[in-house]
Amino acid sequence: MDALVLIIDDEPQIRRALAQMLEERGARVISAASGGEGLSLAASRSPDLVILDIGLPDLGGDVVCRELRAWSQVPIVVLSARHSEAEKVRLLDLGADDYLTKPFGGAELVARVRAHLRRAAVSENELPAVIRAGAIEIDFHRRGAFRDGERIHLTPLEWSLLRTMATQAGRTLTHRQLFDAVWARSHGNASQYLRVFITALRKKIEPDPSAPQLIVTEPGVGYRFEIPRALS
């Protein structure tokens, strides 16, 4: 894991534990004990990823997240002791890329950090022409999905939804983010719209729609497109 990770957390023992965990896997780590210090470090050191605790003594983590997102596309993984779905949705809508509730497993955190670093390494202009996810090929140049070379019939909205998720594979997108991206509407029941289209999409691309592997539901939050690791 060759990356510079910025940890913003006011608890020294948490910073030490996270730093040790990431450094053992090859990451370089810098840390800050407050939101203001974290923003300064983010501006001066340009980290590859930020791990952000939302319970900070000076600025709220939500403020840090919003300010950081105003000028940087760096992946932000939020840590919090708050478990409410509304809080997760709020932080993701403010620009966080992921959200882990305490206590969490170290292996899960490291896996998510790796996934976000992989995604960040591929900018929109550097997207591969084709993403292979199991038996499915998603071809961005041909604007379609294929199984064994045969085009899968997708409606324009289904293709837009699949493309939006696949180009941000590994990132959980909230109902509102997907709704805004695909429908470009500011009103309507986003989760209700999405439920219908996600169900239809799963029937077309999932090996077993009743046990989805590619389009993962984050209950109460949104959806995430997963590419089998061996094929990512």
Side-chain angles (χ1 to χ4, degrees):
M1 186 191 300
D2 181 19
L4 179 64
V5 178
L6 168 60
I7 299 169
I8 306 176
D9 196 308
D10 64 329
E11 297 184 51
Q13 67 274 24
I14 298 291
R15 294 199 303 272
R16 283 196 297 270
L18 292 175
Q20 181 179 356
M21 196 182 306
L22 294 167
E23 287 171 346
E24 286 175 351
R25 286 148 175 97
R28 291 162 288 126
V29 176
I30 52 178
S31 61
S34 68
E37 183 186 1
L39 286 169
S40 296
L41 273 178
S44 62
R45 300 291 302 277
S46 299
D48 299 299
L49 182 138
V50 173
I51 296 176
L52 172 64
D53 180 42
I54 63 171
L56 297 170
D58 54 347
L59 302 173
D62 53 347
V63 175
V64 175
C65 184
R66 184 172 58 243
E67 293 196 11
L68 196 52
R69 190 52 81 228
W71 51 267
S72 173
Q73 292 302 310
V74 63
I76 303 171
V77 178
V78 166
L79 306 180
S80 175
R82 303 173 193 170
H83 290 251
S84 79
E85 291 174 355
E87 182 68 7
K88 295 177 185 178
V89 170
R90 191 171 72 87
L91 267 295
L92 291 168
D93 279 343
L94 282 174
D97 294 88
D98 207 348
Y99 191 109
L100 275 176
T101 52
K102 300 176 181 177
F104 52 83
E108 180 181 2
L109 172 66
V110 170
R112 293 192 182 217
V113 165
R114 277 199 299 259
H116 289 295
L117 289 173
R118 280 199 303 272
R119 184 178 63 79
V122 182
S123 72
E124 179 71 19
N125 293 330
E126 296 171 333
L127 283 173
V130 175
I131 287 179
R132 293 180 175 82
I136 300 296
E137 285 188 356
I138 301 170
D139 191 320
F140 297 104
H141 289 175
R142 298 164 68 189
R143 296 178 58 82
F146 299 80
R147 179 185 285 109
D148 300 326
E150 295 292 326
R151 181 182 286 272
I152 300 170
H153 175 72
L154 299 176
T155 67
L157 279 175
E158 288 168 350
W159 166 247
S160 179
L161 184 57
L162 178 61
R163 185 187 185 286
T164 299
M165 290 189 292
T167 53
Q168 302 181 72
R171 178 186 179 189
T172 297
L173 298 171
T174 67
H175 296 130
R176 178 53 57 184
Q177 288 169 332
L178 283 168
F179 193 56
D180 291 346
V182 177
W183 281 269
R185 292 173 58 177
S186 59
H187 62 279
N189 188 321
S191 59
Q192 191 175 60
Y193 269 82
L194 282 165
R195 191 178 304 117
V196 173
F197 281 86
I198 290 289
T199 298
L201 199 50
R202 279 174 169 158
K203 287 179 179 176
K204 295 181 179 181
I205 68 168
E206 291 278 2
D208 179 1
S210 64
Q213 299 175 17
L214 304 178
I215 302 175
V216 177
T217 300
E218 287 286 349
V221 178
Y223 299 94
R224 183 177 66 255
F225 191 85
E226 290 284 3
I227 299 175
R229 180 172 298 180
L231 299 173
S232 63

